[in-house]
Amino acid sequence: QVQLVESGGRLVRAGDSLRLSCAASGRSFSNYAMGWFRQAPGKEREFVAAISWSGGSTYYRGSVKGRFTISRDNAKNTVDLQMNSLKPEDTAVYYCAADATATVRDRAVEYDYWGQGTQVTVSS
């Protein structure tokens, strides 16, 4: 069992930067691949970024590539999402998720544990 708690979401302006953090507790954080997803009002949850158990492999959705960076610290049991050049279309609730297969994947159904989400709002 892994418990995940996101933090860092807030209201920002277009072009600003924001760093989200996800703190994990429970069993063997380093055994899990980690992902960030987001869900805007009226839309389905979508993949944002994922990182392998070691941090050696990352994967991003096209619209955030070059703007967002996912990273993890297995010693601290955290995974972060650095978001730069934010756009109004990045507005959503952002969720952290853990995948017990430890591989980088982009489908929400493949993740085993989820946090409660943190709201990011980008004003134009």
Side-chain angles (χ1 to χ4, degrees), residues 52-118:
S52 62
W53 69 272
S54 67
S57 179
T58 57
Y59 180 56
Y60 300 91
R61 73 178 295 108
S63 63
V64 308
K65 198 174 297 184
R67 299 189 298 124
F68 291 12
T69 302
I70 188 171
S71 61
R72 68 187 295 163
D73 186 335
N74 287 342
K76 296 182 179 179
N77 284 7
T78 58
V79 58
D80 291 348
L81 185 68
Q82 176 66 42
M83 304 187 293
N84 298 329
S85 302
L86 282 161
K87 304 175 181 180
E89 51 264 43
D90 294 319
T91 294
V93 177
Y94 282 71
Y95 297 90
C96 172
D99 179 357
T101 67
T103 57
V104 174
R105 302 197 286 186
D106 61 2
R107 295 201 308 158
V109 294
E110 294 166 332
Y111 284 75
D112 303 286
Y113 302 103
W114 292 83
Q116 83 290 345
T118 186

Side-chain angles (χ1 to χ4, degrees), residues 24-70:
S25 60
R27 300 178 59 183
S28 305
F29 173 75
S30 62
N31 288 349
Y32 294 84
M34 300 297 296
W36 284 96
F37 289 77
R38 66 187 181 188
Q39 187 166 18
K43 295 187 177 181
E44 293 188 355
R45 190 168 298 189
E46 64 181 19
F47 169 77
V48 176
I51 189 167
S52 62
W53 69 272
S54 67
S57 179
T58 57
Y59 180 56
Y60 300 91
R61 73 178 295 108
S63 63
V64 308
K65 198 174 297 184
R67 299 189 298 124
F68 291 12
T69 302
I70 188 171

